[in-house]
Amino acid sequence: MGLLSLAIWIPIAFGVLLLALGRDEHARVVRWLALLGAVIGLLVTLPLYDGFKLGTAAMQFVEKAAWIERFNVQYHLGVDGISFWFVPLTAFITVIVVIASWESITERVNQYMGAFLILSGLMIGVFSALDGILFYVFFEATLIPMYLIIGIWGGPNKIYAAFKFFLYTLLGSLLMLIALIYLYNQSGGSFDIATWHQLPLSGRAQTLLFFAFFAAFAVKVPMWPVHTWLPDVHVEAPTGGSAVLAAIMLKLGAYGFLRFSMPIAPDAAREWAWLMIALSLIAVIYVGLVAMVQKDMKKLVAYSSVAHMGFVTLGFFIFNDLGVSGGLVQMVAHGFVSGAMFLSIGVLYDRVHSREIAAYGGVVNTMPKFAAFALLFAMANCGLPGTAGFVGEWMVIIGAVKANFWVGLGAATALIFGAAYTLWMFKRVYLGPVANDNVKGLKDINNREFLMLALLGIAVLAMGIYPRPFTDVMDTSVAELLKHVALSKLN
Amino acid sequence: MIDNISWLAIYPEIVLLTMACVIALVDLGINSKRRTGTYVLTMLTLAVVAALQAMYASSGNTFYGFGNMVVSDAMGNWLKCFATVAMMATLVYGRPYAADRDMLRGGEMFTLAMFALLGMFIMISGNNFLVIYLGLELLTLSSYALVALRRDNATATEAAMKYFVLGAMASGFLLYGLSMIYGATGSLDIGQVFKAVNAGQIKHQVLVFGLVFVVAGLAFKLGVVPFHMWIPDVYQGAPTSITLMIGGAPKLAAFAITIRLLVDGLLPLAIDWQQMLAVLSIGSLLVGNLAAIGQTNLKRMLAYSTISQMGFVLLGLMSGVINGNVDAAAVESAYSASMFYVVTYVLTTLAAFGVILLLAREGFESEEISDFAGLNQRSPLYAGVMAVCLFSMAGIPPMVGFYAKLSVLQALVASGQPWYIAMAVFAVLMSLIGAFYYLRVVKVMYFDVPLTASNVSAPVDVRVALSINGALVLGLGLLPGGLMSLCADAIVRALAT
């Protein structure tokens, strides 16, 4: 078994084991086992970075075995600079989520932890699958644990949210399935994604494929105007669910654009880039404004996620080095930052059971340690230099300005809006005098919460101060991708 | 006339028939309320028959018996093997339920089930219109009696009545169509009919006229729109163990006769029957899925979902021939996709009804969707099995149902016809609707609060069978290659003759 297989199947194996363990009497054992599984899952991804060869765009750590011979489907795994960072990121967030849910989940603990571990393996599978059907299976299978997570442990309106999440994303993916089958037939019976990259396709076919993939990935990202499921789901999902959703699951969509849409239908991608850029700018500007008027903290961060992901897709479709790698860096950074934001809200929610901004005020007086972390994450969310949030945004804006000044200007407004809504929320929740008895009675974070926030804080700062490990890994693959996208596949 | 008897071709059928008679006699001396002796004997017989069929099937040989009246080929033998296993599962799941409802006063349920199975065997191996019809009647007559097994229950009796009237009409349709084709071609032998039709010197109108009736008859048996009306009523009205008996294994036989009649016999008319199948499948997908949304009764919902699933099977069957050109590769991939679909569908249905049967206790049918509230809290295992089945029916990977849908869609898209690709997109949108109502049941099981806190208990045979069944739905989803190749190989061998 290769490293990637281990990274996928170890968490899943632990997850299945937890499901089999049963009742809540064993909650303690279940939690420790879940942590063990998540940590081992993270540890096996570390040698990946060590073994990753820079300066080549080729797939690395490749594993290939026949899976469904009748359709020539391969169990084909590998990562390149584009997908590499999401593997350790997913494993890392899983560890954090297990720690975060340690005390807040008391019912059906084994199912909760099991669902997250299985979800973790499946998402790593999505990022490392090099076969269309394998990708699709992982991509779709993630819906099941997430649906259950939202539906069982979610808030009052959880059922509506769970259905909305499942059906929205399923609709998109089903159209992608048709596209995959079409490509299989066009390529003479191959589900190999790399083969599809070389496949000559007519303009009409490319356009149809582009929009079939668009349906799947735009919903997942989510791009405006199909983003409406995200705030609903975030509000209802339990803290861990929100964190994983924002930190990893949204990236599946953006990643799909790079792996499928752009290289398979490059002509269509260039032709429709204006649309993608327009939608991304709307997400950045309009959704940024929407975020500003939210009363619910989770909703605010959810809209902020949509805006930040708009940045990512904007970076991709301006077709230059800085834009695409900026988008990728932004994806990783957003993984840390949005995860941290949702977990911070979770910390407050566990104590007060409210996510209304108005229910708080002056939290810094009673929870100084926590407020310090919250400030760091808030700064990262508005892209302060030295934090993870800055690097990607800065790269995308430079890239955008190079491509078109006005697009760059539009993108740069994100910095203003982002700062506005994040800081305003920070001010209303944390600063000022203690607002009410709830806040007065707050206890500062315990060691467990401190550990979880500190891990994220270190990640956010490290990435902001020294982003080279991230960009180094990405550079060659991004350059190769752009070279490929620049060539016409029309015949 | 009959020059080569070749008993070998029907050896398993003989075993089944003999044992059915023996068991009926033995049962007279058995007096236990749960008919343990009869049950054990039946299961042993079925196990032997299944093993025999599997042995025949894996040898891959094709041979004919009774002057070409019956055929024993890989496709038929595998289908018979699966049908036997399905019947065994049905009896395992259904026995506690039947015992609670005093349906085992006599051992009829077991003997009738064996005769129904024999009917399926004859249908599957028939190579002659009359033999196929004979098998069909044996199956349906046994089924009518089975549905009416609860003599004192008004809904079951009503269901039996509906089933009987509509079933008889369907048989009439089929027989009428077959007689037209006999009139046109002068033969009842499928091979001879194929030759005659292929030679093309027969009046097209007469053939197509017969064909319309044959397709209508088949549509009744498969339960597709617009001949689906009996399905919801009978599924709901029949005692649940019997619902499974008519909704499980017989689907395999119905698939087999569809292949035998339409493909083996009338392939040269494909361009005609394809259009009919297209209409039937669009209707089934639409009506089945839309009507299922409104159901509050789980059995009725599953009945409508069956209708839509059969629509998918028909999609596979219609995609084999492109513009009237018979292309071996396309035919093979299309029909093996359908076969895979039917087999996996039966597997999934078995487990789903298994859970329903398990929850149905004395005096409480547990067929409303709301009866499943909070099942996850009462029994994570059974809730898990049910969820796996529902996700499989909805076509969500990694359950086996996804690969069934995938292979049918692939057959459609491979044709390269815009019209077919449009059908694929339509089918995909319909399965989104399907996902909605399957998810609703998952929602009830996992998100709602249980009405009772009692744990679900089951006899050990049920527990084991249900766990294996659920594991297969998931396991075949992780490694579907073997079953897919098996279906493809079976279809190739069936068509090569």
Side-chain angles (χ1 to χ4, degrees), chain A residues 155-180:
Chain A
N157 211 1
K158 61 194 183 176
I159 290 161
Y160 168 75
F163 270 85
K164 198 166 177 182
F165 164 76
F166 199 104
L167 294 178
Y168 258 61
T169 42
L170 183 65
L171 172 64
S173 333
L174 283 171
L175 293 175
M176 173 169 77
L177 180 63
I178 301 273
L180 296 181

Side-chain angles (χ1 to χ4, degrees), chain A residues 67 70 108 111 140 147 184, chain B residues 332 336 376 397 410 439 478:
Chain A
W67 179 29
R70 184 164 159 65
R108 287 180 267 176
Q111 291 188 350
E140 284 292 84
Y147 173 75
Y184 169 76
Chain B
E332 184 236 308
S336 62
N376 178 40
Q410 138 69 14
L439 275 186
L478 297 176

Side-chain angles (χ1 to χ4, degrees), chain B residues 475-494:
Chain B
L476 280 173
L478 297 176
L479 294 169
L483 184 59
M484 267 185 189
S485 316
L486 186 152
C487 291
D489 182 63
I491 289 289
V492 171
R493 283 174 196 280

Side-chain angles (χ1 to χ4, degrees), chain A residues 148-161:
Chain A
L148 296 177
I149 288 168
I150 299 167
I152 299 180
W153 294 278
N157 211 1
K158 61 194 183 176
I159 290 161
Y160 168 75

